[in-house]
Amino acid sequence: MDSSQIETGAPLSIEIAQIASPSTTLSPTSTLSPRIPKDAIRTSLRASTIDGIFAAIFSIGTGGVLLGNFLVELDASPIVFGMLASIPMLANLFQPIGAYLSERSTSRFQYALGIYGIARLLWLILVIGIISFSWGGLNSNQLVVLSLLILVCSHLLGGLGNASWLSWIAMLVPRRLRGRYFGLRNSLSNLTELISLPIAGLAVSHWYGGTIQGYGVILLLSIIFGIVSLGCQYFQVDINPQLQNTYYANSSQTSEIQSDSAANEPGEISEAISLPQIPTPQNQIDSSIWKNSNFLVFLLYFGLWTFAISLSAPFFNFYLLDTLNLDVSWVTFYNSLRSGAHMLMLIVWGRFADKIGNRPILISTGILIAVIPWLWLRMGSSPLDLWLWLPLLHIFIGGNWGAIDLCNNNLQIEIAPLKNQSIYFATAAAVAGASGALGATIGGFIAQFAGSFGIEEVFIVSGILRLASLVPLIIKKDLGSKVKLVG
C-alpha cells in the first residue's frame, strides 16, 4: 500500500530550561534566550530517532497489513477497508482543536504524554476483545465493530496531539539538516519495519491458536513498544508553547534559526543555535493563514493529492489478501520490500532535498507515483507476478514514496511561520484528513457495489487525479523557496 506519513522538523528559537531534565518546562515569565547548546539538540535528535524506531513497531501492530489481515479473517467488507483508511484521516479534522489546546499548555512533553498515552493504551481493549472472541464471548461482526471503535477513539486522540508533536519536533531540527536528519530518522524507522514486519507476519500466520489469536499477541507487544517510545520523548528538550508564541508575538521581525552557518561542514551542528534577524519587510510572514498565498497553494495541492492517493491506496493490500488470496506472510514480505526501498532511498532524497529544494522532487516523483494504480491493473496470481512483478512494484513504490514523505513535510515547514506554527500544521492536516477520508470512503463504496470492475475503475481514476493534483506545484514556481537571511 502506498501511504504517507507526516514527520517534520524545524529549528528551536526559545530558551529551554532544565535541559538535563527535559520534562521540566519554562514558566511563561521566564527569560527568553536566543542560544541553545548543541549537545542539547543532539540529545533531542537522538531521542527522537529512537522514539521513531519504537513507534514504527507500534504502528505495525495497530495498522497496515496486519490489521488489514485481521479484518479479512473476520470477513470484513471493502467498505470496512475504506473506513480503515478514512478514520485516521477524519481524525485530522480535530487537529485544529488539538493545536488550540496545546498552545495553551506549558509543556509539549506533558501534553504529548497524556494524549498519546491514552490513545495507545486504548488498544488493550482490542486485545481483551480478541481473548473474548477466542472464548466465544464475541462474534466476528462485533469484533470488527470493536476494532473500528478503538481505531476511531485512538486516532481522534492522536488528532488532538499531532499538531503539538509536529510543532515540537519542528522546533528541534536545524534548518539545514532537515533533509538529512529526517532521511536518517525515517530510514531507521523503515529498517525497523523491514525487520519486524515479516517476523510479525510469520508469527501471526503460524500461531498455534490461529491467525486471530496470533494478531492479538503481536498487538500486545506493539502496545508495549508504543509506551516505550513515549518514554524516549522525556529526553527531548521540552518547549513551553506559551513562551514560543510570546517570543514571536513580541518580535517585530520574523526570525529563523540557522543552526549551521555557511562556514560549517555539512552535517555539523554549530556550538549553539542563533537567531539571525530578517530585517527586510518582504520576508515577513503574515500571521493570518488566509493571507498566506504560499500556504493556500500548498493546501490546494495537499488536499487534492491526499484525495487521489486515498481513492485507491486502501485496496492494494485488500486486493492481495482477498482477491489473490495470498497468505499474510507473503503480503508482509512485499511490504517489507517496500520499506527496505523506502529506507535506502530516504537518505538519498534527503540530500537531494537539501541541495535542489523540495518542489522539484515532489513534481518528478509525483509523476512516478501517479502511475502506480495503473501498474496494479496488470497484477495477477501467476508465478511471474508473485515472484517478479509484485516485488518490483513494491520496491518501486517504496523508493519513490520516500521523496513524497520527506519533501511534503519539509515544504510544509518552509511555508509555515514560526509563530503559532502548530495551527498551520493542524490546518494542513485537517484539509488532508477531510479530503483523504472522502477519497477512501468513495473508493470503498465503488469497490463494494461495483465488483472487481469497480476496483479497476478506482485505480484508473486515482492515477489521473494524482497527476492533476501536481498542477498547483507546477504553476507556483516559487513555492517553498528558501528565505534569504540578511545581515
Side-chain angles (χ1 to χ4, degrees):
M1 181 188 300
D2 57 329
S3 59
S4 60
Q5 59 188 20
I6 298 179
E7 290 175 337
T8 66
L12 185 62
S13 60
I14 62 176
E15 178 183 62
I16 306 297
Q18 304 291 340
I19 289 176
S21 178
S23 62
T24 304
T25 60
L26 291 172
S27 66
T29 59
S30 300
T31 304
L32 294 172
S33 171
R35 300 180 69 82
I36 298 297
K38 67 176 182 180
D39 289 342
I41 298 298
R42 284 175 173 167
T43 300
S44 297
L45 299 188
R46 195 175 296 115
S48 178
T49 301
I50 299 174
D51 171 25
I53 291 173
F54 286 120
I57 300 177
F58 171 76
S59 66
I60 287 174
T62 57
V65 61
L66 293 183
L67 181 58
N69 180 74
F70 172 69
L71 294 175
V72 167
E73 293 293 329
L74 296 175
D75 296 323
S77 67
I79 292 181
V80 173
F81 272 79
M83 294 176 65
L84 186 67
S86 63
I87 286 172
M89 298 175 188
L90 282 175
N92 287 331
L93 294 174
F94 287 79
Q95 286 206 32
I97 299 175
Y100 176 85
L101 296 175
S102 70
E103 294 307 308
R104 279 147 184 80
S105 69
T106 57
S107 169
R108 295 288 189 199
F109 170 73
Q110 293 178 8
Y111 185 84
L113 183 64
I115 292 292
Y116 289 112
I118 297 174
R120 294 181 179 183
L121 289 174
L122 279 176
W123 288 94
L124 288 173
I125 299 176
L126 183 56
V127 175
I128 298 173
I130 293 174
I131 295 174
S132 178
F133 174 80
S134 300
W135 292 347
L138 293 176
N139 59 40
S140 60
N141 289 332
Q142 291 172 334
L143 195 55
V144 168
V145 173
L146 178 63
S147 301
L148 292 178
L149 287 175
I150 293 172
L151 192 70
V152 168
C153 295
S154 177
H155 282 280
L156 285 181
L157 285 170
L160 295 177
N162 285 347
S164 178
W165 179 88
L166 195 58
S167 182
W168 184 12
I169 297 301
M171 298 299 290
L172 293 178
V173 182
R175 182 177 184 273
R176 292 189 179 181
L177 298 181
R178 286 175 192 162
R180 279 165 284 180
Y181 171 71
F182 282 103
L184 175 63
R185 185 183 191 273
N186 291 350
S187 292
L188 292 176
S189 297
N190 279 273
L191 176 61
T192 303
E193 183 178 351
L194 175 67
I195 297 173
S196 304
L197 187 56
I199 296 174
L202 287 172
V204 169
S205 62
H206 292 88
W207 188 259
Y208 69 91
T211 56
I212 293 179
Q213 286 187 16
Y215 173 72
V217 173
I218 296 299
L219 178 60
L220 178 60
L221 293 174
S222 299
I223 295 169
I224 295 174
F225 280 108
I227 298 302
V228 172
S229 79
L230 292 180
C232 295
Q233 296 180 7
Y234 174 83
F235 299 97
Q236 297 173 197
V237 288
D238 203 356
I239 293 178
N240 185 331
Q242 296 184 27
L243 261 182
Q244 176 185 344
N245 294 328
T246 300
Y247 179 85
Y248 288 106
N250 294 335
S251 176
S252 60
Q253 296 168 332
T254 302
S255 300
E256 177 134 357
I257 299 171
Q258 193 74 357
S259 64
D260 47 343
S261 63
N264 289 9
E265 292 296 324
E268 291 184 351
I269 300 179
S270 59
E271 183 63 33
I273 293 180
S274 59
L275 295 172
Q277 299 297 313
I278 307 174
T280 51
Q282 60 268 30
N283 289 327
Q284 296 185 14
I285 304 175
D286 195 296
S287 61
S288 172
I289 291 178
W290 309 115
K291 295 180 181 179
N292 191 325
S293 61
N294 279 342
F295 188 72
L296 293 179
V297 172
F298 177 80
L299 286 183
L300 177 62
Y301 150 73
F302 203 36
L304 292 174
W305 176 261
T306 309
F307 177 86
I309 292 295
S310 302
L311 194 66
S312 59
F315 307 103
F316 295 152
N317 280 337
F318 177 79
Y319 178 78
L320 295 174
L321 292 166
D322 187 71
T323 305
L324 299 185
N325 198 28
L326 297 184
D327 186 80
V328 64
S329 60
W330 275 102
V331 182
T332 54
F333 169 70
Y334 293 146
N335 280 265
S336 295
L337 290 178
R338 175 184 57 78
S339 297
H342 196 180
M343 173 195 67
L344 293 175
M345 289 301 297
L346 269 173
I347 298 177
V348 177
W349 291 125
R351 294 186 178 275
F352 271 123
D354 289 337
K355 290 181 179 179
I356 67 175
N358 300 292
R359 176 182 162 273
I361 296 177
L362 284 174
I363 294 175
S364 58
T365 56
I367 294 173
L368 297 177
I369 291 292
V371 306
I372 288 174
W374 301 338
L375 296 178
W376 275 93
L377 292 174
R378 70 159 310 279
M379 295 299 160
S381 56
S382 69
L384 185 63
D385 288 322
L386 297 179
W387 290 97
L388 179 63
W389 296 122
L390 279 171
L392 287 179
L393 177 60
H394 281 81
I395 291 173
F396 179 78
I397 292 172
N400 287 283
W401 203 264
I404 301 295
D405 283 342
L406 195 66
C407 295
N408 270 337
N409 298 333
N410 288 346
L411 184 61
Q412 185 176 181
I413 294 171
E414 290 177 358
I415 294 172
L418 294 178
K419 180 187 175 184
N420 292 323
Q421 197 176 48
S422 64
I423 303 295
Y424 282 77
F425 293 155
T427 302
V431 170
S435 59
L438 182 62
T441 302
I442 292 175
F445 275 101
I446 295 176
Q448 172 73 19
F449 297 111
S452 60
F453 179 72
I455 292 181
E456 293 178 1
E457 257 187 348
V458 167
F459 287 178
I460 293 173
V461 174
S462 176
I464 297 173
L465 292 180
R466 292 181 186 199
L467 288 173
S469 68
L470 299 175
V471 173
L473 290 181
I474 297 174
I475 294 177
K476 187 71 172 177
K477 296 183 178 181
D478 61 339
L479 186 66
S481 298
K482 291 184 178 180
V483 178
K484 302 293 184 181
L485 298 179
V486 182

